[in-house]
């Protein structure tokens, strides 16, 4: 039997936001591979082997998924949100590129990427429509890039008046980066700019709070938070935050 690999996004948390396509791939899988909190979201059942790994071992995890698929298994490698957004899809293609050097047969493996609802879209929907005009997404983790590049992109995005979604804003390992990012944004955008902190969106721990940059504090974000910085046009209408479709 030929194996296959699906790289699937589980969405932000709620079961109702797992796409039918992903649910079907999981129902047919023999193996699920991923970071342990995400693998834990896939219920145990007979015939399914769950391979949970620690964070920051993306390439090992991707290689394991490729090896299992090459051995004839139907493998689903899972990410939260969308697998192409700061997640496993790129890691799998990187691992495939490396694997082809010693295992050219891997070039024939059927590999599919199954999209999911990414955190910024789930968060934006909860707040209203803060990403309703041009926007960009920046990962604040400096695990895979230098901090200087993060600052350069933040400044460029703020100067170009994009709304900005910040992923991985703050971890215990690097608490100071997000404080520096807020300082930079306050300098560029001023204190009145709206910022939405969206934590654990669509889970029972969800918390959504919109404040001005002047009132934003680094402690308002953690690793389960996505932060949406408004553009200069982003505003409130009753309880909703939105960015108008037109700009001048
Ligand atoms: N592939 C994921 C992102 C992985 S990076 C996606 O598409 O959503 C991990 C970061 O995503 C977290 O630090 C946080 O910034 C954000 N995130 C993931 N799930 C979230 C949720 N339910 N609520 C708020 N932010 C979330």
């Amino acid at each position: 039997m030929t194996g296959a690999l699906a790289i699937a996004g589980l969405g932000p948390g709620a079961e109702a936001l797992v796409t039918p396509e992903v649910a079907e791939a999981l129902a047919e899988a023999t193996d699920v591979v991923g970071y342990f909190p995400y693998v834990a979201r896939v219920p145990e059942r007979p015939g399914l082997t769950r391979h949970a790994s620690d964070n920051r071992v993306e390439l090992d995890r991707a290689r394991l998924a490729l090896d299992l698929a090459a051995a004839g298994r139907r493998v689903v490698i899972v990410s939260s949100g969308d697998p192409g957004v700061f997640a496993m899809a790129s890691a799998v293609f990187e691992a495939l590129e490396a694997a082809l050097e010693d295992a050219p047969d891997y070039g024939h493996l059927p590999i599919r990427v199954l999209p999911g609802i990414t955190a910024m879209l789930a968060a934006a929907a909860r707040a209203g429509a803060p990403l309703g005009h041009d926007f960009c997404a920046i990962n604040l983790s400096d695990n895979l890039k230098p901090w200087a590049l993060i600052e350069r992109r933040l400044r460029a995005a703020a100067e170009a008046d994009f709304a900005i979604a910040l992923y991985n804003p703050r971890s215990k390992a690097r608490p100071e980066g997000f404080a520096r990012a807020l300082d930079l944004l306050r300098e560029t955008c001023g204190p009145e700019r709206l910022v939405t902190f969206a934590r654990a969106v669509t889970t029972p721990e969800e918390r959504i709070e919109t404040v001005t940059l002047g009132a934003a504090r680094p402690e308002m974000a953690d690793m389960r938070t996505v932060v949406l910085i408004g553009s200069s046009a982003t505003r409130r209408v009753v309880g909703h935050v939105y960015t108008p479709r037109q700009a001048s």
Side-chain angles (χ1 to χ4, degrees):
M1 189 196 72
T2 340
L5 175 59
I7 311 164
L10 296 176
E15 197 56 40
L17 297 186
V18 176
T19 69
E21 182 182 51
V22 168
E24 192 181 320
L26 290 171
E28 290 170 355
T30 58
D31 297 78
V32 172
V33 176
Y35 178 36
F36 65 86
Y38 307 151
V39 169
R41 284 173 58 186
V42 182
E44 280 182 288
R45 62 170 163 78
L48 179 70
T49 309
R50 301 189 303 172
H51 308 260
S53 51
D54 208 341
N55 215 352
R56 297 206 194 187
V57 289
E58 286 94 350
L59 282 181
D60 298 345
R61 195 187 290 148
R63 178 68 197 234
L64 170 68
L66 288 167
D67 291 344
L68 287 166
R73 316 279 297 176
R74 285 189 306 278
V75 185
V76 179
I77 186 162
V78 288
S79 290
S80 75
D82 181 90
V85 179
F86 311 129
M88 285 309 298
S90 291
V92 168
F93 294 119
E94 229 178 292
L96 177 64
E97 229 170 14
L100 286 176
E101 293 181 7
D102 53 286
D105 286 1
Y106 281 26
H108 303 298
L109 280 177
I111 300 179
R112 292 184 304 153
V113 181
L114 311 182
I117 295 176
T118 188
M120 70 177 174
L121 299 185
R126 282 291 197 260
L131 306 180
H133 188 70
D134 295 343
F135 66 91
C136 66
I138 299 179
N139 186 343
L140 285 195
S141 166
D142 59 1
N143 283 342
L144 298 169
K145 61 188 168 187
W147 180 258
L149 180 60
I150 297 176
E151 284 202 349
R152 183 151 68 83
R153 287 186 177 157
L154 262 181
R155 183 166 286 116
E159 280 169 358
D161 203 18
F162 283 106
I164 309 168
L166 299 175
Y167 282 76
N168 287 309
R170 189 160 172 266
S171 74
K172 290 200 183 83
R174 34 173 196 86
E176 70 298 330
F178 184 54
R180 285 165 65 183
L182 283 180
D183 286 344
L184 183 157
L185 289 167
R186 260 189 296 268
E187 269 167 38
T188 318
C189 308
E192 298 307 322
R193 187 64 58 92
L194 293 181
V195 188
T196 299
F197 290 87
R199 179 170 193 276
V201 178
T202 81
T203 79
E205 294 86 50
E206 174 176 301
R207 204 183 64 221
I208 314 279
E209 190 182 9
T210 300
V211 298
T212 61
L213 260 181
R217 298 284 162 265
E219 310 74 58
M220 291 175 174
D222 65 6
M223 282 311 273
R224 295 189 70 193
T225 309
V226 65
V227 181
L228 306 179
I229 312 290
S231 75
S232 61
T234 304
R235 57 179 104 149
R236 298 184 199 253
V237 54
V238 283
H240 314 283
V241 177
Y242 87 106
T243 307
R245 292 167 302 152
Q246 279 182 325
S248 44

